[in-house]
PDB file of all heavy atoms in Angstrom:
ATOM      1  N   VAL S  32      -9.123 -36.463 -55.527  1.00  0.00           N
ATOM      2  CA  VAL S  32      -9.698 -37.657 -56.081  1.00  0.00           C
ATOM      3  C   VAL S  32     -10.413 -37.271 -57.415  1.00  0.00           C
ATOM      4  O   VAL S  32     -10.364 -37.928 -58.445  1.00  0.00           O
ATOM      5  CB  VAL S  32     -10.752 -38.247 -55.148  1.00  0.00           C
ATOM      6  CG1 VAL S  32     -11.416 -39.409 -55.704  1.00  0.00           C
ATOM      7  CG2 VAL S  32      -9.932 -38.691 -53.878  1.00  0.00           C
ATOM      8  N   PHE S  33     -11.101 -36.113 -57.355  1.00  0.00           N
ATOM      9  CA  PHE S  33     -11.832 -35.700 -58.525  1.00  0.00           C
ATOM     10  C   PHE S  33     -11.555 -34.206 -58.773  1.00  0.00           C
ATOM     11  O   PHE S  33     -11.627 -33.439 -57.923  1.00  0.00           O
ATOM     12  CB  PHE S  33     -13.358 -36.000 -58.405  1.00  0.00           C
ATOM     13  CG  PHE S  33     -14.159 -35.288 -59.385  1.00  0.00           C
ATOM     14  CD1 PHE S  33     -14.343 -35.930 -60.554  1.00  0.00           C
ATOM     15  CD2 PHE S  33     -14.692 -34.003 -59.225  1.00  0.00           C
ATOM     16  CE1 PHE S  33     -15.005 -35.305 -61.601  1.00  0.00           C
ATOM     17  CE2 PHE S  33     -15.458 -33.431 -60.258  1.00  0.00           C
ATOM     18  CZ  PHE S  33     -15.637 -34.057 -61.461  1.00  0.00           C
ATOM     19  N   SER S  34     -11.331 -33.912 -60.053  1.00  0.00           N
ATOM     20  CA  SER S  34     -11.187 -32.446 -60.424  1.00  0.00           C
ATOM     21  C   SER S  34     -11.720 -32.424 -61.821  1.00  0.00           C
ATOM     22  O   SER S  34     -11.749 -33.321 -62.598  1.00  0.00           O
ATOM     23  CB  SER S  34      -9.804 -31.924 -60.315  1.00  0.00           C
ATOM     24  OG  SER S  34      -9.197 -31.922 -61.537  1.00  0.00           O
ATOM     25  N   ASP S  35     -12.192 -31.198 -62.248  1.00  0.00           N
ATOM     26  CA  ASP S  35     -12.715 -31.101 -63.496  1.00  0.00           C
ATOM     27  C   ASP S  35     -11.779 -31.388 -64.719  1.00  0.00           C
ATOM     28  O   ASP S  35     -12.157 -32.022 -65.646  1.00  0.00           O
ATOM     29  CB  ASP S  35     -13.086 -29.501 -63.733  1.00  0.00           C
ATOM     30  CG  ASP S  35     -14.444 -29.109 -63.152  1.00  0.00           C
ATOM     31  OD1 ASP S  35     -15.067 -30.131 -62.607  1.00  0.00           O
ATOM     32  OD2 ASP S  35     -14.861 -28.050 -63.158  1.00  0.00           O
ATOM     33  N   LYS S  36     -10.383 -31.113 -64.431  1.00  0.00           N
ATOM     34  CA  LYS S  36      -9.535 -31.169 -65.583  1.00  0.00           C
ATOM     35  C   LYS S  36      -8.496 -32.329 -65.450  1.00  0.00           C
ATOM     36  O   LYS S  36      -8.191 -32.978 -66.464  1.00  0.00           O
ATOM     37  CB  LYS S  36      -8.678 -29.943 -65.641  1.00  0.00           C
ATOM     38  CG  LYS S  36      -9.499 -28.663 -65.671  1.00  0.00           C
ATOM     39  CD  LYS S  36      -9.709 -28.225 -67.095  1.00  0.00           C
ATOM     40  CE  LYS S  36     -10.741 -27.147 -67.340  1.00  0.00           C
ATOM     41  NZ  LYS S  36     -10.489 -25.866 -66.696  1.00  0.00           N
ATOM     42  N   SER S  37      -7.993 -32.736 -64.235  1.00  0.00           N
ATOM     43  CA  SER S  37      -7.016 -33.773 -64.116  1.00  0.00           C
ATOM     44  C   SER S  37      -7.570 -35.083 -64.283  1.00  0.00           C
ATOM     45  O   SER S  37      -8.810 -35.290 -64.183  1.00  0.00           O
ATOM     46  CB  SER S  37      -6.323 -33.591 -62.770  1.00  0.00           C
ATOM     47  OG  SER S  37      -5.889 -32.356 -62.438  1.00  0.00           O
ATOM     48  N   CYS S  38      -6.753 -36.101 -64.574  1.00  0.00           N
ATOM     49  CA  CYS S  38      -7.156 -37.443 -64.598  1.00  0.00           C
ATOM     50  C   CYS S  38      -7.761 -37.963 -63.242  1.00  0.00           C
ATOM     51  O   CYS S  38      -7.465 -37.430 -62.201  1.00  0.00           O
ATOM     52  CB  CYS S  38      -5.973 -38.377 -64.958  1.00  0.00           C
ATOM     53  SG  CYS S  38      -5.363 -37.962 -66.749  1.00  0.00           S
ATOM     54  N   PHE S  39      -8.608 -38.943 -63.326  1.00  0.00           N
ATOM     55  CA  PHE S  39      -9.391 -39.446 -62.212  1.00  0.00           C
ATOM     56  C   PHE S  39      -8.572 -40.502 -61.361  1.00  0.00           C
ATOM     57  O   PHE S  39      -7.839 -41.374 -61.983  1.00  0.00           O
ATOM     58  CB  PHE S  39     -10.681 -40.042 -62.584  1.00  0.00           C
ATOM     59  CG  PHE S  39     -11.488 -39.071 -63.448  1.00  0.00           C
ATOM     60  CD1 PHE S  39     -11.816 -39.432 -64.707  1.00  0.00           C
ATOM     61  CD2 PHE S  39     -11.939 -37.935 -62.942  1.00  0.00           C
ATOM     62  CE1 PHE S  39     -12.629 -38.539 -65.563  1.00  0.00           C
ATOM     63  CE2 PHE S  39     -12.682 -36.988 -63.728  1.00  0.00           C
ATOM     64  CZ  PHE S  39     -13.032 -37.330 -65.032  1.00  0.00           C
ATOM     65  N   ASN S  40      -8.709 -40.493 -60.089  1.00  0.00           N
ATOM     66  CA  ASN S  40      -8.009 -41.470 -59.208  1.00  0.00           C
ATOM     67  C   ASN S  40      -8.562 -42.908 -59.618  1.00  0.00           C
ATOM     68  O   ASN S  40      -9.815 -43.101 -59.551  1.00  0.00           O
ATOM     69  CB  ASN S  40      -8.318 -41.151 -57.798  1.00  0.00           C
ATOM     70  CG  ASN S  40      -7.675 -42.023 -56.853  1.00  0.00           C
ATOM     71  OD1 ASN S  40      -7.851 -43.349 -56.884  1.00  0.00           O
ATOM     72  ND2 ASN S  40      -6.825 -41.513 -55.972  1.00  0.00           N
ATOM     73  N   LYS S  41      -7.597 -43.753 -59.955  1.00  0.00           N
ATOM     74  CA  LYS S  41      -8.040 -45.015 -60.478  1.00  0.00           C
ATOM     75  C   LYS S  41      -8.784 -45.899 -59.384  1.00  0.00           C
ATOM     76  O   LYS S  41      -9.748 -46.529 -59.591  1.00  0.00           O
ATOM     77  CB  LYS S  41      -6.696 -45.759 -60.819  1.00  0.00           C
ATOM     78  CG  LYS S  41      -6.995 -47.018 -61.798  1.00  0.00           C
ATOM     79  CD  LYS S  41      -5.565 -47.525 -62.136  1.00  0.00           C
ATOM     80  CE  LYS S  41      -5.640 -48.561 -63.194  1.00  0.00           C
ATOM     81  NZ  LYS S  41      -4.264 -48.896 -63.597  1.00  0.00           N
ATOM     82  N   ASP S  42      -8.313 -45.758 -58.117  1.00  0.00           N
ATOM     83  CA  ASP S  42      -8.860 -46.566 -57.039  1.00  0.00           C
ATOM     84  C   ASP S  42     -10.335 -46.113 -56.854  1.00  0.00           C
ATOM     85  O   ASP S  42     -11.167 -46.926 -56.490  1.00  0.00           O
ATOM     86  CB  ASP S  42      -8.007 -46.375 -55.762  1.00  0.00           C
ATOM     87  CG  ASP S  42      -6.706 -46.883 -55.861  1.00  0.00           C
ATOM     88  OD1 ASP S  42      -6.479 -47.879 -56.675  1.00  0.00           O
ATOM     89  OD2 ASP S  42      -5.703 -46.469 -55.239  1.00  0.00           O
ATOM     90  N   TRP S  43     -10.489 -44.816 -56.896  1.00  0.00           N
ATOM     91  CA  TRP S  43     -11.826 -44.311 -56.736  1.00  0.00           C
ATOM     92  C   TRP S  43     -12.794 -44.800 -57.797  1.00  0.00           C
ATOM     93  O   TRP S  43     -13.847 -45.247 -57.501  1.00  0.00           O
ATOM     94  CB  TRP S  43     -11.814 -42.795 -56.698  1.00  0.00           C
ATOM     95  CG  TRP S  43     -13.122 -42.084 -56.936  1.00  0.00           C
ATOM     96  CD1 TRP S  43     -14.150 -42.161 -56.080  1.00  0.00           C
ATOM     97  CD2 TRP S  43     -13.474 -41.161 -57.983  1.00  0.00           C
ATOM     98  NE1 TRP S  43     -15.339 -41.486 -56.523  1.00  0.00           N
ATOM     99  CE2 TRP S  43     -14.901 -40.758 -57.634  1.00  0.00           C
ATOM    100  CE3 TRP S  43     -12.894 -40.703 -59.051  1.00  0.00           C
ATOM    101  CZ2 TRP S  43     -15.573 -39.895 -58.462  1.00  0.00           C
ATOM    102  CZ3 TRP S  43     -13.622 -39.778 -59.835  1.00  0.00           C
ATOM    103  CH2 TRP S  43     -14.948 -39.376 -59.617  1.00  0.00           C
ATOM    104  N   ILE S  44     -12.332 -44.789 -59.054  1.00  0.00           N
ATOM    105  CA  ILE S  44     -13.213 -45.285 -60.151  1.00  0.00           C
ATOM    106  C   ILE S  44     -13.439 -46.823 -59.979  1.00  0.00           C
ATOM    107  O   ILE S  44     -14.582 -47.291 -60.146  1.00  0.00           O
ATOM    108  CB  ILE S  44     -12.451 -45.109 -61.560  1.00  0.00           C
ATOM    109  CG1 ILE S  44     -12.180 -43.601 -61.816  1.00  0.00           C
ATOM    110  CG2 ILE S  44     -13.245 -45.709 -62.721  1.00  0.00           C
ATOM    111  CD1 ILE S  44     -13.494 -42.785 -62.167  1.00  0.00           C
ATOM    112  N   LEU S  45     -12.412 -47.533 -59.486  1.00  0.00           N
ATOM    113  CA  LEU S  45     -12.537 -48.955 -59.287  1.00  0.00           C
ATOM    114  C   LEU S  45     -13.485 -49.400 -58.201  1.00  0.00           C
ATOM    115  O   LEU S  45     -13.925 -50.452 -58.053  1.00  0.00           O
ATOM    116  CB  LEU S  45     -11.125 -49.627 -59.044  1.00  0.00           C
ATOM    117  CG  LEU S  45     -10.323 -49.791 -60.337  1.00  0.00           C
ATOM    118  CD1 LEU S  45      -8.849 -50.300 -60.004  1.00  0.00           C
ATOM    119  CD2 LEU S  45     -10.976 -50.667 -61.355  1.00  0.00           C
ATOM    120  N   GLN S  46     -13.905 -48.431 -57.408  1.00  0.00           N
ATOM    121  CA  GLN S  46     -14.916 -48.674 -56.269  1.00  0.00           C
ATOM    122  C   GLN S  46     -16.157 -49.149 -56.860  1.00  0.00           C
ATOM    123  O   GLN S  46     -16.940 -49.877 -56.236  1.00  0.00           O
ATOM    124  CB  GLN S  46     -15.082 -47.382 -55.470  1.00  0.00           C
ATOM    125  CG  GLN S  46     -13.909 -46.900 -54.687  1.00  0.00           C
ATOM    126  CD  GLN S  46     -13.563 -47.832 -53.485  1.00  0.00           C
ATOM    127  OE1 GLN S  46     -14.454 -48.155 -52.697  1.00  0.00           O
ATOM    128  NE2 GLN S  46     -12.285 -48.224 -53.337  1.00  0.00           N
TER     129      GLN S  46
END
Side-chain angles (χ1 to χ4, degrees):
V32 175
F33 169 82
S34 100
D35 278 359
K36 306 268 167 61
S37 305
C38 292
F39 307 118
N40 184 302
K41 199 175 187 174
D42 293 335
W43 166 57
I44 299 284
L45 284 175
Q46 294 290 311

